[in-house]
Amino acid sequence: MRTRSSIETRAWEIVIPAPGGEFVAHYSTRGLCGLEFPARAPQHRRRVSTAHVPARVRRWHAATARALEQALAGRPPKTLPPLDLSAGTGFQRRVWSALRRIGWGRTRSYGQVARAIGRPKAARAVGTACGANPIPVFVPCHRVLAADNRLGGFSGGLDWKRALLRREGIMRPGRGKSQRRRHP
DNA sequence: CCCTAGCGGTGCT
DNA sequence: AGCACCGCTAGGG
């Protein structure tokens, strides 16, 4: 397995307005290749190349926007745009494809994902690969929790992880899984 | 609750 | 090649 796949450039980035702020979707020639959560701090958004966007990419984007809207409204998206996950290492892509097999409203532990991809002792590396997931929400790294059923981490911020889990009915609105609290 | 050792992938020297 | 990260985990106090 190769260590690094060919790099597909992010040719287009398009904003998606949402209640919590603006998501940014990135597209390559192969499909959706990145999704950013709204920036925490108000931020002068960089140049967005919406000009000359091919019709195909606009269709993908329509699918992305609709799917994101559904997911944030607490209903499983019916269809997704094509996902371009080619920018990952072999290990990362294995992890990401395992994540896509975790159904809406279900969870796994990092160790379970590690076993599912045939690397039973690589739980920690699975966490790192989750953190490198370029398409959160649709590649549901938020459904992976620590083995003791705590929340684990989330590169988009634990508030988002909690919010997504709640939308799927996994966490009770008020109380929830306790948070990892080591050296703050 | 705390701490520790062991773990594997990644990225930087 | 070496090494310091880490969204981890099992085991022990």
Side-chain angles (χ1 to χ4, degrees):
Chain A
M1 103 182 58
R2 64 218 148 135
T3 58
R4 185 65 68 107
S5 62
S6 62
I7 295 148
E8 188 68 24
T9 55
R10 300 175 154 212
W12 301 276
E13 55 178 49
I14 312 179
V15 164
I16 305 176
E22 290 182 339
F23 285 75
V24 183
H26 297 257
Y27 298 91
S28 69
T29 56
R30 310 214 268 242
L32 178 68
C33 62
L35 185 64
E36 294 178 52
F37 287 104
R40 320 185 134 256
Q43 187 170 324
H44 19 3
R45 179 136 298 293
R46 54 196 174 287
R47 186 76 37 237
V48 176
S49 54
T50 43
H52 311 102
V53 175
R56 184 180 55 159
V57 175
R58 277 200 294 268
R59 278 198 304 275
W60 292 343
H61 188 66
T64 300
R66 187 172 57 244
L68 184 60
E69 182 187 16
Q70 290 173 341
L72 296 181
R75 36 177 59 190
K78 290 182 169 52
T79 65
L80 297 180
L83 306 186
D84 177 7
L85 293 168
S86 63
T89 64
F91 179 83
Q92 289 168 339
R93 294 204 270 177
R94 279 186 186 216
V95 171
W96 299 338
S97 71
L99 300 185
R100 296 184 65 186
R101 275 176 239 124
I102 309 175
W104 179 271
R106 307 287 307 283
T107 64
R108 296 283 187 280
S109 71
Y110 295 95
Q112 284 179 310
V113 174
R115 292 192 284 276
I117 63 170
R119 296 275 198 295
K121 288 179 282 194
R124 193 166 193 179
V126 165
T128 307
C130 287
N133 168 24
I135 315 181
V137 184
F138 300 148
V139 177
C141 55
H142 60 280
R143 294 179 193 144
V144 188
L145 308 177
D148 57 7
N149 219 40
R150 289 198 296 185
L151 209 46
F154 197 67
S155 34
L158 288 175
D159 288 344
W160 270 111
K161 188 168 187 174
R162 270 187 288 265
L164 293 169
L165 291 171
R166 268 187 215 124
R167 299 317 289 162
E168 302 189 21
I170 294 166
M171 285 180 69
R172 247 71 81 222
R175 54 210 335 98
K177 331 248 182 210
S178 49
Q179 180 172 343
R180 172 184 254 290
R181 199 194 63 78
R182 291 209 51 94
H183 321 282

